[in-house]
Amino acid sequence: MDRSTPVTDLKGIGEKTGQLFQKIGVRTVGELLAHYPREYETFQPPVPIAEASPGQVCAVYAEVASVLRPKKVRRLTILSLSVRDRSGALQLTFFNMPFLKNVLKPGGFYLFRGLVQSRGAARVMEQPKLYSYEDYRKQCGVMQPRYALTKGLTNQAVQKAVRQALSLYRFEEEVYPEELLSQNDLISRREALNAVHFPEDRAALLRARRRLVFDEFFDFLLLLRQNKDLSAALPNSYPMYETADTVRFLEQVPFSLTRAQKKVGQELKEDLGSPFCMNRLIQGDVGSGKTIVALLALLMCAANGFQGALMAPTEVLAAQHYETVCGYVKKYRLAFSPVLLVGSMSAKDKREACERIASGEANLVIGTHALIQEKVAYRNLALVVTDEQHRFGVRQREHLAEKGKDPHVLVMSATPIPRTLAIILYGDLHISVIDELPADRLPIKNCVVNTSYRPKAYEFIRREVAAGRQAYVICPQVEEGELEDVENVVDYTERLRSALPADVQIAYLHGKMRPQDKNRVMEEFAARHIDVLVSTTVIEVGINVPNATVMMVENAERFGLAQLHQLRGRVGRGEHQSYCIFVSSREQKETMERLQILNRSNDGFYIASEDLKLRGPGELFGVRQSGEFSFGLGDIYTDADVLQAASEAVETVLAEDGSLSLPKYRLLRQRLEETSGQQGVDFRTI
Ligand code: ADP
Ligand code: MG
């Protein structure tokens, strides 16, 4: 059994279960083993009821005191009972499990485990899990993996499949030479894969992560460094000079550039006219106004008779950039002749777009990775700008270079990265920072609340909508069943529709929708036909709807602070006061304190570093910090030390043997060839 063996070869996985696995992106055994747990749960010994405090998941061993008759509320059957031990009493509620009435008899002792919540003076546990004392004792203290699931697929089933796969898997030979392993404190992949799924303890899990994350970073950096062209100072094949166009454009737009925007604009101008090809990164917090600076460079490019390309990570974002540019062209008579090129366009539209690009009639091409497909031939591509996705830039740069003679490259990023990491991740890119927000912005008002605040939040959204504004509501998952106890976009939309007046237009957006549908929803939202947009984090990347003033995030405790900050950046983009409501369904002190950091600061850089301080590396495994750098397991912030180590290891290897032709690097070279063959694998297709 190896990487490519279909999961349906495992015992107990037939065609039907196989389809469920496919839904979570698992077709092969290799993919199953890389379906890392989202989190781990360790059962703690039962506590006396008096110590079961709200906001915490607890286990209690208690006697059933009384069972009420099941109540019907709409489609729900609610069974309530009260249990007690010597220290106190607790309410339990079960939904749609009326049969428990016959199982849980007054006077019987059971072990219940669940989230304790306060309801007025009383404490309740909703939908607790039931265990026999013996069973619970056996599982106590063991870290249990929790996987991303889908409806119909239980955590138990995934666990079983993984266990089986681990025992039958033929592990590949070690690709690193021995000294690299020992210098970097790396365990074998075999041990790592076993421990990441079934860790003995925290320490074992951290060791496992270290190895797996190291591999991800190492591959990425090796590919990056191997591409020598990226770091060499190439001659400027497309020298550009300022024309009247940019000056006139700036005179016309209804705002003046910030000091930081001007500074960066100047740096770009100097690059484009210098003897060397531009290779630059613009780092600027969300809302700092990166787009217009890039447009100035693209305008210079067009005015000098060249073509420019603007690439976005998603169709939604590409379409939005296109709209913005078209708006500017119409209003200010810019020298752009823009064309949109995205995957979901009809074959005919694509062909027409390509013709305009090939003839040179279009001088600004805006799109997603469809842009760099083989078929697209440019007339004279001189500048490539990539927005909000670094990997997009790096991986594709070599392909772009083939399209023309080394175009200038500009990468825009909102991910705040400390300088040491930036040097590793961006290599030789020059870095410009927009460290200032436009002055007319009102600071966003934030609050961190628990779920009991929801009715007030809905009322607030209703009032904002009545005043002509719009709102986002973010849920961590798309539909029911992926994770337990977590809000999902589809059901939440329904609930919101019944909580808000009928004339409030509510729609949803998530990554599993077809690109056309996503584009349509975003267009409708931008055109104000939709008032409230319920979405997953797909809208985290770059969307600009200045009329939106409310950002409500459900299960905020599940997101990294840097990511929440990105989400917050979707509001506060216009002249109106904006608001952020972070709803935490865990009332634990640490969770609330962590979220309070967002309250205190509006500085992405500070937030990311504080977040790290509060929760050492490797904590909160499921939390993703950076959407831009998407690795399977690794996170550039929490695994910064591993990133550093991988970077040094890559340098050492390449210094010794730049072409990886020594026998000890044979397997490494093979793996590199495999990964570099997987074009486009890492694109987040949102
Ligand atoms: P980001 O850096 O997050 O990509 P955008 O470029 O989308 O930010 O800019 C956010 C909003 O701010 C846009 O509506 C843009 O028109 C506006 N904007 C940009 N620069 C300025 C400025 N100097 N003054 C006022 N508004 C600006
Ligand atoms: Mg942007």
Side-chain angles (χ1 to χ4, degrees):
M1 185 161 285
D2 61 21
R3 251 187 318 186
S4 50
T5 312
V7 277
T8 41
D9 279 13
L10 292 169
K11 254 202 312 259
I13 302 185
E15 202 173 313
K16 229 175 102 203
T17 317
Q19 274 163 10
L20 293 176
F21 271 99
Q22 205 166 59
K23 265 193 155 170
I24 55 171
V26 172
R27 274 160 309 231
T28 63
V29 168
E31 285 166 344
L32 177 65
L33 293 183
H35 189 64
Y36 303 123
R38 286 259 192 118
E39 57 193 11
Y40 302 84
E41 198 170 25
T42 312
F43 289 3
Q44 301 297 331
V47 296
I49 284 178
E51 285 169 28
S53 47
Q56 270 171 338
V57 175
C58 299
V60 298
Y61 185 62
E63 177 190 3
V64 174
S66 64
V67 183
L68 294 178
R69 208 199 306 223
K71 264 191 310 196
K72 272 266 198 202
V73 180
R74 282 185 225 136
R75 274 182 296 166
L76 278 183
T77 318
I78 303 174
L79 178 71
S80 307
L81 53 146
S82 77
V83 298
R84 66 181 169 215
D85 63 11
R86 258 184 254 157
S87 74
L90 185 67
Q91 298 290 321
L92 306 183
T93 11
F94 293 93
F95 302 110
N96 292 339
M97 299 175 93
F99 53 88
L100 281 180
K101 184 168 168 34
N102 305 320
V103 179
L104 302 169
K105 295 274 166 52
F109 276 81
Y110 303 89
L111 204 142
F112 303 98
R113 181 173 189 277
L115 177 67
V116 182
Q117 289 166 298
S118 46
R119 290 274 179 280
R123 281 170 304 154
V124 288
M125 213 186 246
E126 273 180 11
Q127 206 74 346
K129 295 248 160 59
L130 211 58
Y131 298 88
S132 79
Y133 192 81
E134 239 344 87
D135 265 0
Y136 192 84
R137 205 185 50 87
K138 264 194 235 144
Q139 291 182 45
C140 228
V142 181
M143 289 177 85
Q144 315 268 355
R146 290 272 172 267
Y147 296 96
L149 304 168
T150 186
K151 217 174 190 166
L153 190 65
T154 64
N155 197 60
Q156 189 71 19
V158 180
Q159 265 194 41
K160 253 177 85 180
V162 172
R163 243 185 235 290
Q164 209 191 126
L166 282 170
S167 70
L168 299 173
Y169 194 68
R170 195 165 45 77
F171 284 87
E172 289 101 7
E173 250 179 279
E174 184 54 68
V175 298
Y176 303 130
E178 187 52 47
E179 71 263 21
L180 194 151
L181 290 175
S182 57
Q183 273 159 17
N184 291 289
D185 216 359
L186 298 175
I187 59 174
S188 72
R189 264 192 88 80
R190 174 189 202 113
E191 210 182 317
L193 281 169
N194 270 291
V196 78
H197 289 286
F198 302 106
E200 291 241 331
D201 52 29
R202 256 196 103 67
L205 175 60
L206 288 176
R207 278 197 301 275
R209 271 194 104 251
R210 185 177 169 84
R211 169 65 205 249
L212 299 172
V213 169
F214 185 93
D215 286 4
E216 290 177 2
F217 289 158
F218 189 92
D219 282 357
F220 172 68
L221 293 172
L222 189 58
L223 213 59
L224 197 68
R225 299 279 184 275
Q226 269 240 313
N227 201 333
K228 294 240 174 49
D229 294 353
L230 297 184
S231 48
L234 299 164
N236 185 351
S237 314
Y238 308 96
M240 299 173 198
Y241 306 100
E242 181 146 42
T243 67
D245 297 71
T246 51
V247 181
R248 197 164 45 83
F249 178 38
L250 285 182
E251 279 167 8
Q252 289 171 323
V253 286
F255 51 77
S256 53
L257 294 191
T258 61
R259 183 194 48 76
Q261 282 172 316
K262 280 187 195 145
K263 183 194 71 192
V264 174
Q266 187 60 34
E267 284 166 349
L268 298 187
K269 233 185 287 173
E270 282 166 18
D271 276 2
L272 294 171
S274 88
F276 300 104
C277 184
M278 174 165 80
N279 209 11
R280 188 171 285 278
L281 161 75
I282 301 183
Q283 253 193 53
D285 213 341
V286 279
S288 62
K290 294 183 287 296
T291 315
I292 191 147
V293 180
L295 283 181
L296 286 173
L298 287 163
L299 188 57
M300 221 167 110
C301 179
N304 278 269
F306 301 121
Q307 285 178 310
L310 174 55
M311 299 202 286
T314 67
E315 291 207 0
V316 167
L317 196 54
Q320 184 185 289
H321 280 320
Y322 180 72
E323 293 301 318
T324 306
V325 171
C326 288
Y328 282 153
V329 168
K330 228 169 153 181
K331 232 164 143 182
Y332 309 123
R333 301 173 170 274
L334 301 183
F336 282 136
S337 163
V339 64
L340 181 69
L341 184 57
V342 293
S344 69
M345 278 164 42
S346 72
K348 178 166 161 285
D349 288 349
K350 266 188 218 160
R351 203 170 46 241
E352 277 175 22
C354 287
E355 279 165 18
R356 290 183 57 204
I357 298 168
S359 73
E361 194 262 301
N363 59 15
L364 173 57
V365 187
I366 301 175
T368 50
H369 57 274
L371 262 182
I372 45 108
Q373 271 172 0
E374 246 69 338
K375 280 178 284 184
V376 188
Y378 292 83
R379 179 77 191 281
N380 55 2
L381 182 64
L383 169 61
V384 177
V385 181
T386 70
D387 188 17
E388 305 273 358
Q389 193 161 34
H390 172 60
R391 296 193 86 173
F392 195 101
V394 170
R395 281 256 169 123
Q396 268 56 48
R397 208 151 346 145
E398 42 191 309
H399 289 256
L400 280 168
E402 291 160 14
K403 303 271 175 215
K405 232 169 95 206
D406 303 314
H408 297 287
V409 170
L410 179 63
V411 178
M412 296 196 283
S413 165
T415 308
I417 306 173
R419 183 129 200 119
T420 46
L421 292 190
I423 289 167
I424 293 175
L425 291 164
Y426 295 113
D428 267 17
L429 259 68
H430 297 116
I431 300 178
S432 293
V433 184
I434 304 188
D435 50 4
E436 177 183 24
L437 294 181
D440 61 349
R441 298 283 160 76
L442 292 166
I444 297 167
K445 294 193 173 152
N446 306 286
C447 61
V448 180
V449 295
N450 62 26
T451 51
S452 68
Y453 185 81
R454 275 189 198 135
K456 275 193 211 149
Y458 297 157
E459 171 56 20
F460 184 74
I461 289 175
R462 189 196 63 73
R463 282 206 310 265
E464 283 290 298
V465 168
R469 304 285 83 77
Q470 290 161 286
Y472 299 99
V473 181
I474 306 299
C475 301
Q477 62 179 345
V478 173
E479 55 199 358
E480 196 195 332
E482 290 168 49
L483 287 169
E484 283 175 34
D485 313 324
V486 169
E487 298 296 338
N488 72 78
V489 166
V490 176
D491 293 336
Y492 200 96
T493 305
E494 278 314 305
R495 259 169 43 209
L496 207 54
R497 282 192 177 126
S498 55
L500 289 172
D503 61 339
V504 175
Q505 296 302 316
I506 305 171
Y508 65 70
L509 183 74
H510 61 69
K512 292 187 183 168
M513 285 161 61
R514 294 185 312 162
Q516 298 92 302
D517 296 336
K518 279 184 269 184
N519 293 345
R520 186 178 40 77
V521 169
M522 264 331 291
E523 275 162 27
E524 285 178 9
F525 188 65
R528 303 195 194 181
H529 299 318
I530 294 169
D531 302 308
V532 181
L533 186 61
V534 183
S535 169
T536 53
T537 53
V538 299
I539 57 112
E540 148 201 1
V541 192
I543 294 301
N544 185 37
V545 178
N547 190 50
T549 54
V550 185
M551 168 61 67
M552 177 171 176
V553 184
E554 286 284 351
N555 294 111
E557 76 280 1
R558 297 218 149 237
F559 298 97
L561 294 188
Q563 195 179 22
L564 289 173
H565 178 64
Q566 287 284 324
L567 286 169
R568 171 163 68 184
R570 299 305 117 220
V571 296
R573 306 188 135 239
E575 73 222 71
H576 307 288
Q577 175 64 55
S578 288
Y579 308 87
C580 253
I581 306 167
F582 298 113
V583 184
S584 168
S585 57
R586 290 276 165 112
E587 292 166 48
Q588 276 156 329
K589 208 166 124 248
E590 302 87 66
T591 310
M592 290 311 219
E593 267 172 16
R594 204 166 70 83
L595 292 173
Q596 289 298 344
I597 294 174
L598 289 168
N599 236 343
R600 281 205 301 276
S601 170
N602 215 347
D603 174 349
F605 205 88
Y606 170 81
I607 290 169
S609 62
E610 282 300 290
D611 195 18
L612 268 189
K613 258 190 240 159
L614 265 190
R615 56 177 180 96
E619 243 161 288
L620 274 172
F621 294 102
V623 170
R624 276 236 157 270
Q625 284 291 5
S626 161
E628 252 178 287
F629 293 93
S630 47
F631 294 94
L633 199 61
D635 183 289
I636 56 164
Y637 293 101
T638 45
D639 302 305
D641 58 329
V642 188
L643 184 61
Q644 184 82 44
S647 167
E648 281 162 22
V650 167
E651 299 298 340
T652 313
V653 169
L654 289 180
E656 186 187 17
D657 178 12
S659 56
L660 302 181
S661 47
L662 292 177
K664 63 175 176 178
Y665 294 133
R666 183 178 58 87
L667 291 169
L668 194 57
R669 196 180 65 223
Q670 247 175 39
R671 191 171 80 185
L672 182 72
E673 277 159 10
E674 275 167 33
T675 18
S676 60
Q678 293 167 4
Q679 271 309 320
V681 161
D682 292 305
F683 293 134
R684 296 195 314 161
T685 46
I686 50 180

